[in-house]
Amino acid sequence: QVQLVESGGDLVQPGESLRLSCAASGFTSEIQTIAWFRQAPGKSREGVSCLSLTEGDTYYADSVKGRFAISVDSSKNTVYLSLYNLKSEDTAVYSCAADRRFRCVRATLSDPGFAYWGQGTQVTVSA
């Protein structure tokens, strides 16, 4: 089993930045890929970014490319999602997901069935 805990969500103004954290515990050595998803009220869940812990590959949705950055601190078993130049349309609950089966490629952001999920953290962008 793997447990994921997100943190770092907040209320910010447009143009500001945030860093979200996804702390993993349990059988973390099994994980191949961690991904971030978000879901805004009344909308379907959207894949934002993923990171392959074994190959180092990253992938970003077109909607966040150039504004978000995913990274990992292996010593802390934590994956970060840095959000820059935030816009009102970035408002959503952000959740991380992990799985040992999936590589980090475009299709991964369509959620092929991640085994482990965190509870989510709220990001609100408003003036």
Side-chain angles (χ1 to χ4, degrees), residues 22-116:
C22 174
S25 61
F27 294 103
T28 56
S29 61
E30 296 182 350
I31 300 172
Q32 177 176 184
T33 293
I34 287 186
W36 284 94
F37 292 83
R38 67 183 181 184
Q39 188 164 19
K43 295 187 177 181
S44 57
R45 188 165 58 197
E46 174 190 18
V48 174
S49 180
C50 62
L51 168 68
S52 168
L53 300 179
T54 56
E55 300 173 348
D57 297 334
T58 60
Y59 194 87
Y60 297 92
D62 289 342
S63 58
V64 305
K65 196 173 297 182
R67 297 191 300 118
F68 290 9
I70 193 168
S71 60
V72 61
D73 185 337
S74 299
S75 68
K76 297 181 179 179
N77 285 337
T78 299
V79 171
Y80 302 99
L81 185 68
S82 298
L83 291 60
Y84 303 103
N85 189 22
L86 282 160
K87 304 176 181 181
S88 57
E89 52 262 43
D90 295 317
T91 295
V93 175
Y94 285 71
S95 301
C96 60
D99 204 287
R100 62 178 175 85
R101 298 167 294 169
F102 308 137
R103 298 174 56 206
C104 175
V105 294
R106 181 185 183 92
T108 306
L109 297 189
S110 298
D111 186 13
F114 277 86
Y116 306 108

